[in-house]
Amino acid sequence: MSFGLEIDGSGHLTPALVRAVEAACAEAERVGFLAVSVTGVPDGPGTYADVAQVSKWERALRRLERLPATTVSVASGAVGGLALDALLATDYRIATPDTRLEVSPSEADAWPGMALYRLVQQAGIAPIRRTVLFGHPLTAAKAMELGLLDEIAAVAPAALAEAAAAAGLRSGRELAIRRQLMRDAATTSFEEALGAHLAACDRMLRQTTSGAGR
């Protein structure tokens, strides 16, 4: 299976990269699945262009994060910078045994961007404190323990094929709804979230009734 999107964390943030993410998202909306390859860490200053470009990058990642499609990433080697940003925005994350997540490979390239936000949201402050503050990499095993990775596979293509097959069991729209309900549970009160959950329940009941009547 080929990758619909490949992110090299050692590269620079460019308009072309943002357009590549947007194009991959558009294709994923059509086919219901997106495979993302992530690897590499910043190799020098200037990985991020300017605030305006970073804003466009984050909007593209937000679209990736909210796609009505299953997104599966395959990580390998050192993963940081742009690659880490993309990894944390996907639904299911496969890693090769040599994978390690690096927030700050060097002082010059420390980037207090949304990857830090996603790391804390997904793993909590305490487990990733040393990684964020002192640049200690997270091994694949540790990242999986924290829920930042879902699977460690020596043969990544086979694991990706299995994930793609499993993704076909759910519709993209249903996946997007479930994803949003999970996020709401972490950030809103029970009373505020109840309406969205009841709407989802009503939609599911209508589908069930419609199907039974055929």
Side-chain angles (χ1 to χ4, degrees), residues 43-59:
D43 59 1
T47 299
Y48 295 88
D50 54 43
V51 172
Q53 193 61 47
V54 172
S55 178
K56 293 177 182 179
W57 168 247
E58 288 297 342
R59 286 200 298 271

Side-chain angles (χ1 to χ4, degrees), residues 9-98:
S10 68
H12 293 248
L13 178 56
T14 63
L17 179 59
V18 174
R19 289 195 297 270
V21 174
E22 293 284 3
C25 287
E27 178 65 10
E29 289 168 351
R30 186 181 70 83
V31 303
F33 183 80
L34 176 62
V36 184
S37 170
V38 295
T39 188
V41 296
D43 59 1
T47 299
Y48 295 88
D50 54 43
V51 172
Q53 193 61 47
V54 172
S55 178
K56 293 177 182 179
W57 168 247
E58 288 297 342
R59 286 200 298 271
L61 287 181
R62 193 61 168 161
R63 181 179 178 183
L64 172 65
E65 204 169 34
R66 293 182 166 185
L67 279 175
T70 302
T71 56
V72 178
S73 56
V74 176
S76 59
V79 176
L82 302 169
L84 181 60
D85 286 344
L87 172 73
L88 296 174
T90 56
D91 295 319
Y92 192 81
R93 301 144 192 192
I94 301 166
T96 56
D98 66 336

Side-chain angles (χ1 to χ4, degrees), residues 119-168:
L119 280 169
V120 173
Q121 284 283 314
Q122 297 174 22
I125 295 176
I128 52 95
R129 183 178 60 250
R130 290 194 306 162
T131 297
V132 171
L133 297 180
F134 307 115
H136 293 189
L138 289 173
T139 64
K142 183 63 177 179
M144 186 169 175
E145 178 186 325
L146 297 177
L148 297 172
L149 297 175
D150 297 290
E151 181 179 352
I152 298 174
V155 184
L160 176 59
E162 290 181 8

Side-chain angles (χ1 to χ4, degrees), residues 176-206:
I177 291 173
R178 289 168 183 256
R179 191 191 292 125
Q180 187 59 48
L181 291 176
M182 283 195 301
R183 292 201 180 99
D184 288 347
T187 59
T188 63
S189 68
F190 176 86
E191 289 74 15
E192 292 172 325
L194 181 59
H197 280 260
L198 290 177
C201 179
D202 180 65
R203 182 171 178 275
M204 181 61 69
L205 289 173
R206 288 175 184 273

